[in-house]
Amino acid sequence: MIDLGDPEAICPGLPPASAAPLAHRAIVALERHHRSPALLAVTGEGDATTHEVVWTTPSQDLGPFEDHNEATRDGAMGIALAVAHRQRGWRVIRRLQSTQSEGADWLFADPGMLFVLEVKGTDHGALPLAEAWRQAQASIWAKRATPAVCVVRFAEPRAIFQTYGPR
Amino acid sequence: MDLVELNRLVTDAITVAESLPKDSPRAWMAFREVSHLEEQIARSTQPGDVEGEIARVGAVAAALRASEPLRAVQLAQTFVGEGLAADVAAKLEAMVDEANERLSALAGDLTVQPVKFALAAA
């Protein structure tokens, strides 16, 4: 289960001050289409799982107060971090700056390995998987840590999580 | 401060900075903080480590986004002198080119014009 009302449980290593806004924006993006609980379908390299996502519906519609694209982008990050931990057991090391690291938004540790994760989100458009992989593989960090991508669409909701590394 | 704590702080600082309107004064301040945290991480890591490379590129990138091109040039020159991998050094050198362009533009903008004024008695 992914409890967006408990940001500190999203992913180990993710500091609360960063977890809270990412969880909040995931709620804003999910609330455009769903009410809690929602089932998040996650597919990867030939596998498929679901995660129940729960949150407390805000007392007022937050959509008008949030930039649509930023809520989608940051909400997707919140979902991706939760999936990375629940499906792979990864732990956040740190966030990377967007302009510094085209193709790598987060650095993760798995025992004995490093991963760089590129995240993309969409509200109801096509999942930008090819674009995410193109950027991930072009990143200079992909030569030093195993590249991974997570793309999230809030309309269903669903996510695709893939990595070149061992599972 | 240890590396784990610095990584937490820079994650929070990036999350704040990336959420602010691009090229706004608040974003400049926020990226200034990011740049200083990245520099501290750079000092705590080896230039050949992944985290060390990320921090060195991050310190320079954030200085540019903080509208501090002179700091970006100075940091990049220091880091390149540490013997970074060729692709990381090339990325820093590209940022130096961008910073130098901004400095040249700034120098072109520096004009001094006389302003007439009169002091009024209090």
Side-chain angles (χ1 to χ4, degrees), chain B residues 19-60:
Chain B
S19 71
L20 295 170
K22 189 179 173 187
D23 286 331
S24 65
R26 288 178 64 206
W28 294 338
M29 295 275 289
F31 276 108
R32 185 167 188 250
E33 169 75 7
V34 171
S35 181
H36 284 272
L37 286 165
E38 297 276 30
E39 186 183 6
Q40 285 187 63
I41 295 173
R43 288 179 181 157
S44 303
T45 53
Q46 296 299 313
D49 293 345
V50 180
E51 289 185 71
E53 292 175 325
I54 289 171
R56 284 161 174 81
V57 173
V60 178

Side-chain angles (χ1 to χ4, degrees), chain A residues 88-149:
Chain A
R88 305 298 166 92
W90 294 357
R91 178 182 183 84
V92 167
I93 296 179
R94 59 163 292 175
R95 184 171 178 172
L96 281 70
Q97 296 170 59
S98 59
T99 57
Q100 160 204 359
S101 56
E102 302 90 348
D105 294 315
W106 295 87
L107 180 66
F108 284 91
D110 193 19
M113 286 193 75
L114 291 175
F115 293 86
V116 280
L117 178 68
E118 168 72 4
V119 180
K120 291 204 176 298
T122 180
D123 182 64
H124 60 275
L127 280 166
L129 183 62
E131 180 189 0
W133 265 123
R134 181 179 52 76
Q135 291 185 1
Q137 289 168 316
S139 166
I140 65 171
W141 310 122
K143 298 173 186 169
R144 297 157 167 85
T146 303
V149 299

